[in-house]
Amino acid sequence: MEHIVIIGNGISGVTLARHIRKLSDKKITIVSAETDYFFSRTALMYVYMGHMKFEHTQPYENWFWQKNHIDLKKGYVENIETSTKRLHFSSGELLAYDKLVIATGSKPNKFGWPGQDLDGVMGMYHKQDLENLEKHAPNKAVCKRAVIVGGGLIGIELAEMLNSRSIPVTFLVRESSFWNGVLPKGESAMINRHIKNHHIDLRLSTNLKEIVSDENGKVKSVIIEETGEEIPCNVVGLTAGVSPNIDFIKDSNIETGRGVKVNRYLETNIPDVYAIGDCAEQHEAIGNRRPIEAVWYTGRMMGETLAQTICGNRIPYNPGHWFNSAKFMDIEYQTYGWVFGSKGRPDYEEHFHWKHEDDTKCITVAYHKTTNEFLGINTFGIRMRHETFDRWLNEKRDVHYVIEHLPEANFDPEFYLRFENDILKAFSQKLQTTYNEQ
C-alpha cells in the first residue's frame, strides 16, 4: 500500500490528508512537532481573550484520525534522505515514505536584534506562543507593558489580545502608516486612528534597536533605533512578518529559494516530493499573487488540489481571484480582486474611496481609469458576499455597474438603507470632478 507522509499538521497538511482519504485507501501519516492534533491557528487569539478554550479550536474530535485511518506521529524531522525516501527524526527514528508532502508552514522573522531570544520574547504563530503569553502576560500585574514589533495582521491581533487584559501596549511600526504597503492611504490612516483610539501607543516610522535583559535573562526593556529611548516592558512580541519554516530541508537536494520551490502542480524538483501552504514557493508567481502566500484559504486550496494529483487526477493549482479577510480590533476587513496600496500601484489603477463619518466604515473600489473595468474592492466595517464579487470580476463588470449594484453584495442591508445614497452621490461627485479636470 502506498504510504503518503505529510510533514506539518496545519490547514494545508490536514486538508490534504482528509481529501486523500476521501479519494483512496492509501496509508497516510501526518508528522508534527507542535501539537498532537490539528487546531485552528487563527483561533488562538480567542483562547487568550477568554472567548473559547483550546479544545474548541480543534475542528475534529480526537477519535476522528483513528476512525479515518490517518496516523499521527509527533516528532521533529531533522533531514530528508530523498535517495532512499526516508525521514530522519531528532530522536534517531527513521520513517519511510512513497510520497512526501512538506507542509511545515511559517516561522516568525527575526532580524538579528540583540536580545531577540530572551525569556519573554515571542511570536504569535504557534500553540507554544500562546503558552508563553499566558506565562509572561497573564495580567497587567505581571506584565506592566508589552512592546509589539512589526505592523502586520498578527501584530494587530496581538495588540488586541493584550488590550483585552488591560495590559498597556507600545506598537513599533517601521512604516510611516499602518500596513501602507498593502492598504491605500485613506484606509491606512483610518486604522492608525482606530489603534490609537484603543489607547495603544502606536509609534510609526520607528525601528527596534535592541531588547535589553535583566539579571535573570528576562526582557527588561527595548531601545528605539531612531531616538535611543528606552521603553520598560516585560513582553516583546515579534510580528515583523514570517518566513517559510524550511531550515531542515537546506541540506537535502530539494530545491529551495525563500520557500520550497514548486511548479503549478505543487511538485518539487524531486519526484514524489511536494510542498503546499506557507512554505511552498511558486517558480513563477500566479498573476498578481506573490510566489509565497501565507494565507489560510490558499493553504486549504493547495491541500485539496494536491490530493487530486496524488490520487491519479493530476491538476494544476488555480487559486482564482484574490481575496482575504481580517480584523483590525473591532473593524472587519475584506478584500476582493486587487486594490493596491501606496506601493506598487499600477498607473492604470484608479481608486474611489468612501468613508463614513463615524471613522470605522469605509470602502475603496479599484478600477481601470481608461476602460472603467472593476478591478477590486476593500471594505472596512461592512460585510460583503464573496461569491458576488467573484462573479463580477469574472464578468469583468465596469465600476458604474458595481457601485449601482452594491446592495446585492451586502450581508447587512441596514447599512445600505442608510448609506447607499451617500456612496452613489460621492462616486458621482468623483466622476464629475475627474471629468472637469480633463
Side-chain angles (χ1 to χ4, degrees):
M1 186 185 296
E2 188 176 50
H3 186 196
I4 314 298
V5 175
I6 303 162
I7 309 177
N9 73 344
I11 184 63
S12 53
V14 163
T15 300
L16 171 67
R18 286 179 46 244
H19 282 261
I20 291 174
R21 179 53 69 239
K22 286 179 184 178
L23 297 166
S24 76
D25 61 357
K26 297 177 189 293
K27 179 174 169 62
I28 303 170
T29 301
I30 299 178
V31 176
S32 171
E34 184 182 7
T35 55
D36 291 327
Y37 301 106
F38 168 61
F39 68 94
S40 173
R41 204 170 298 283
T42 52
L44 283 180
M45 65 183 293
Y46 301 111
V47 178
Y48 181 83
M49 293 169 72
H51 299 175
M52 58 172 64
K53 294 179 179 177
F54 180 75
E55 54 265 33
H56 300 152
T57 71
Q58 296 175 196
Y60 308 104
E61 299 286 353
N62 294 348
W63 50 256
F64 171 89
W65 309 101
Q66 189 174 354
K67 181 186 175 187
N68 287 280
H69 306 291
I70 297 172
D71 296 333
L72 305 178
K73 177 170 177 55
K74 196 162 185 190
Y76 180 78
V77 178
E78 278 197 336
N79 60 66
I80 301 168
E81 195 179 300
T82 56
S83 57
T84 59
K85 293 191 168 184
R86 293 191 304 179
L87 304 182
H88 292 251
F89 287 82
S90 57
S91 62
E93 292 175 277
L94 298 175
L95 181 65
Y97 66 84
D98 294 304
K99 285 188 167 68
L100 176 68
V101 182
I102 301 161
T104 46
S106 297
K107 59 177 184 176
N109 287 335
K110 291 184 175 182
F111 294 105
W113 294 295
Q116 66 182 19
D117 296 316
L118 288 172
D119 211 11
V121 180
M122 64 201 72
M124 196 56 236
Y125 304 89
H126 305 114
K127 182 170 186 279
Q128 287 79 1
D129 293 324
L130 180 67
E131 291 162 359
N132 255 333
L133 201 60
E134 280 289 4
K135 176 183 171 186
H136 294 284
N139 52 53
K140 62 182 179 181
V142 172
C143 181
K144 307 291 187 196
R145 177 168 294 274
V147 173
I148 299 171
V149 182
L153 296 179
I154 295 176
I156 194 85
E157 284 181 359
L158 184 52
E160 182 179 358
M161 291 163 69
L162 292 158
N163 205 42
S164 74
R165 296 198 186 184
S166 304
I167 293 169
V169 175
T170 295
F171 203 168
L172 309 185
V173 175
R174 68 179 179 180
E175 291 80 16
S176 57
S177 186
F178 190 86
W179 220 35
N180 64 357
V182 176
L183 298 179
K185 188 176 177 182
E187 298 173 355
S188 178
M190 185 180 87
I191 296 304
N192 291 340
R193 294 188 294 271
H194 194 64
I195 292 169
K196 290 175 180 175
N197 287 342
H198 281 77
H199 310 292
I200 289 167
D201 175 25
L202 178 63
R203 309 281 190 100
L204 299 170
S205 303
T206 302
N207 286 278
L208 173 68
K209 182 180 180 184
E210 69 174 291
I211 305 167
V212 181
S213 174
D214 69 8
E215 62 278 5
N216 300 314
K218 292 183 178 179
V219 171
K220 181 177 97 173
S221 62
V222 299
I223 308 287
I224 302 299
E225 174 93 41
E226 287 75 11
T227 61
E229 178 190 357
E230 184 170 8
I231 303 174
C233 59
N234 308 99
V235 162
V236 175
L238 298 184
T239 61
V242 295
S243 302
N245 182 23
I246 60 165
D247 289 347
F248 70 103
I249 297 167
K250 299 293 187 184
D251 295 332
S252 76
N253 51 2
I254 299 167
E255 185 185 354
T256 61
R258 281 190 62 231
V260 180
K261 292 280 196 176
V262 294
N263 62 17
R264 287 289 191 272
Y265 295 89
L266 305 165
E267 299 161 333
T268 70
N269 63 313
I270 304 296
D272 297 329
V273 179
Y274 309 83
I276 56 176
D278 294 13
C279 67
E281 179 180 5
Q282 289 284 331
H283 282 286
E284 294 175 15
I286 301 173
N288 287 329
R289 291 169 176 268
R290 294 177 177 176
I292 299 171
E293 291 189 313
V295 181
W296 183 89
Y297 84 89
T298 55
R300 188 193 66 209
M301 289 172 75
M302 285 185 208
E304 292 172 0
T305 301
L306 184 56
Q308 293 287 333
T309 293
I310 284 176
C311 293
N313 178 28
R314 187 170 180 263
I315 58 173
Y317 169 59
N318 178 21
H321 295 296
W322 170 255
F323 76 94
N324 203 3
S325 62
K327 268 183 72 200
F328 296 92
M329 314 300 279
D330 45 3
I331 296 179
E332 291 190 30
Y333 157 73
Q334 293 171 298
T335 183
Y336 303 96
W338 292 105
V339 183
F340 281 91
S342 7
K343 295 176 187 172
R345 180 168 157 188
D347 292 339
Y348 60 76
E349 186 175 304
E350 185 68 40
H351 286 180
F352 162 62
H353 180 67
W354 173 88
K355 181 172 72 70
H356 184 245
E357 60 191 11
D358 71 6
D359 207 26
T360 66
K361 301 180 190 72
C362 72
I363 65 170
T364 300
V365 179
Y367 59 98
H368 196 292
K369 64 170 65 170
T370 308
T371 66
N372 282 333
E373 182 186 333
F374 170 60
L375 301 175
I377 185 169
N378 287 351
T379 72
F380 286 78
I382 311 161
R383 288 186 177 181
M384 295 286 197
R385 295 182 191 279
H386 176 204
E387 61 274 15
T388 306
F389 286 116
D390 211 49
R391 187 176 74 249
W392 289 345
L393 288 163
N394 283 332
E395 293 168 351
K396 297 186 181 298
R397 291 288 185 181
D398 73 41
V399 65
H400 302 87
Y401 179 92
V402 170
I403 295 292
E404 287 168 11
H405 291 80
L406 274 178
E408 293 174 23
N410 199 329
F411 269 132
D412 181 7
E414 278 183 34
F415 171 86
Y416 277 103
L417 289 173
R418 293 162 58 193
F419 305 128
E420 179 187 20
N421 290 336
D422 292 351
I423 293 172
L424 278 166
K425 187 175 171 186
F427 182 62
S428 301
Q429 285 173 347
K430 175 183 171 63
L431 292 183
Q432 188 60 46
T433 304
T434 304
Y435 178 76
N436 290 340
E437 286 172 352
Q438 291 170 346

